[in-house]
Amino acid sequence: MALPSEPKSLLKHERIQAIDLVRGVDIILMVLFNYSVTLSYFGIILAQPDFLYWRVFPILIASIFIFLSGAAARISFESRKEGFGKRYFKRGAKLLIFAALVTLFTSIFVPEGAIYFGILHFFAASSFLLPLFIKHNRLNLVAGLSIVAAGFYLQQTEFNFSYLLWLGFIPRGFSTFDYFPLMPWLGVLLLGLYSGKCIAGKTSNITFKNKLAGKFMFFGKNSLTVYLVHQPILIIILLASGFKLF
């Protein structure tokens, strides 16, 4: 599960400390969860079947981050409307490169769980779509709720084709470590986009001065970097400790 942050070009504009704080806490939880998945996959720890931890917990983490990403996009747009589409096109192009590398790596080393449309792929695709929605308000609320509902409906069945995997049509027998199709997750992003003004209005004056909060905000501001390095760091540590992983 990946939780990328805004591109550096957006970080120059107004930041909401409360958003960075929550995002920072969220990404720490993501790292801990991903580590547990990795350690379980390589047989280093014995994973106990727990629906709340293995299903509800990661969905909650991802939902919070994607929702806040939508809110941050709205705040960025209100801060500087000119060039928004260009900024997000560059963002999408950059994330698309990272997503392709994730697909290549997992296809080679863990083909049984290869990631073809994980959260990095989702953020790449949604970056190209956001400029089409950003100027609308209530439409984002209606579209967001509709896409979420459609996504949950699609997850109840499987299909005999894979070319709409990215949209939410799950192929029969499909298995992957990370899967975030546009339905329902684009809907969560649009709900964040719709709520951005309200969130900014209620949290823009909230500041945090203690060191712990500062550390969480640092991770929140640099969540893309954290995501890109956290798994390689774990793999290096395990290999250095003598574990034979591949």
Side-chain angles (χ1 to χ4, degrees):
M1 178 173 48
L3 303 175
S5 59
E6 305 99 333
K8 291 182 179 179
S9 59
L10 298 185
L11 299 181
K12 297 177 182 179
H13 302 295
E14 179 183 1
R15 298 203 65 99
I16 306 297
Q17 285 194 4
I19 291 180
D20 286 333
L21 177 65
V22 175
R23 194 200 305 271
V25 173
D26 209 49
I27 197 170
I28 294 300
L29 294 175
M30 177 273 295
V31 168
L32 295 175
F33 177 79
N34 282 358
Y35 277 2
S36 68
V37 172
T38 301
L39 295 174
S40 174
Y41 175 79
F42 288 118
I44 298 172
I45 63 173
L46 180 61
Q48 300 296 327
D50 189 319
F51 179 79
L52 289 178
Y53 182 75
W54 295 109
R55 290 291 298 168
V56 176
F57 184 54
I59 290 175
L60 179 61
I61 294 173
S63 297
I64 292 172
F65 195 88
I66 292 173
F67 180 87
L68 290 179
S69 294
R74 169 62 65 185
I75 294 168
S76 173
F77 178 74
E78 297 297 334
S79 174
R80 193 182 68 165
K81 296 182 179 181
E82 66 277 7
F84 180 85
K86 184 178 181 180
R87 297 200 303 272
Y88 266 77
F89 181 85
K90 290 181 178 179
R91 175 188 197 256
K94 180 176 70 172
L95 291 175
L96 195 59
I97 294 173
F98 291 137
L101 292 175
V102 168
T103 297
L104 179 62
F105 179 86
T106 55
S107 297
I108 294 174
F109 293 103
V110 282
E112 65 277 13
I115 299 172
Y116 296 105
F117 206 86
I119 202 167
L120 271 183
H121 302 73
F122 165 77
F123 272 110
S126 63
S127 294
F128 298 120
L129 296 174
L130 269 178
L132 303 177
F133 291 91
I134 194 66
K135 294 182 180 181
H136 304 285
N137 188 28
R138 291 185 179 179
L139 175 62
N140 291 325
L141 174 61
V142 175
L145 292 173
S146 300
I147 292 172
V148 169
F152 278 112
Y153 174 78
L154 286 176
Q155 289 180 0
Q156 307 308 311
T157 187
E158 295 181 339
F159 301 86
N160 293 322
F161 51 85
S162 59
Y163 55 87
L164 292 180
L165 169 73
W166 56 274
L167 192 56
F169 291 79
I170 304 173
R172 195 174 307 279
F174 178 63
S175 177
T176 181
F177 286 129
D178 198 33
Y179 182 49
F180 283 83
L182 293 183
M183 293 192 292
W185 296 104
L186 179 61
V188 178
L189 189 72
L190 293 182
L191 293 176
L193 196 64
Y194 170 77
S195 306
K197 281 187 178 180
C198 179
I199 292 175
K202 293 182 178 297
T203 62
S204 59
N205 294 324
I206 299 176
T207 58
F208 302 91
K209 297 182 179 180
N210 66 76
K211 292 183 179 180
L212 181 59
K215 291 179 180 179
F216 282 128
M217 286 188 287
F218 173 81
F219 287 123
K221 294 175 183 178
N222 298 279
S223 53
L224 174 59
T225 301
V226 173
Y227 170 70
L228 292 175
V229 305
H230 83 281
Q231 286 288 21
I233 288 175
L234 177 61
I235 297 298
I236 291 172
I237 292 174
L238 292 176
L239 291 174
S241 301
F243 290 98
K244 296 182 179 180
L245 305 180
F246 306 109

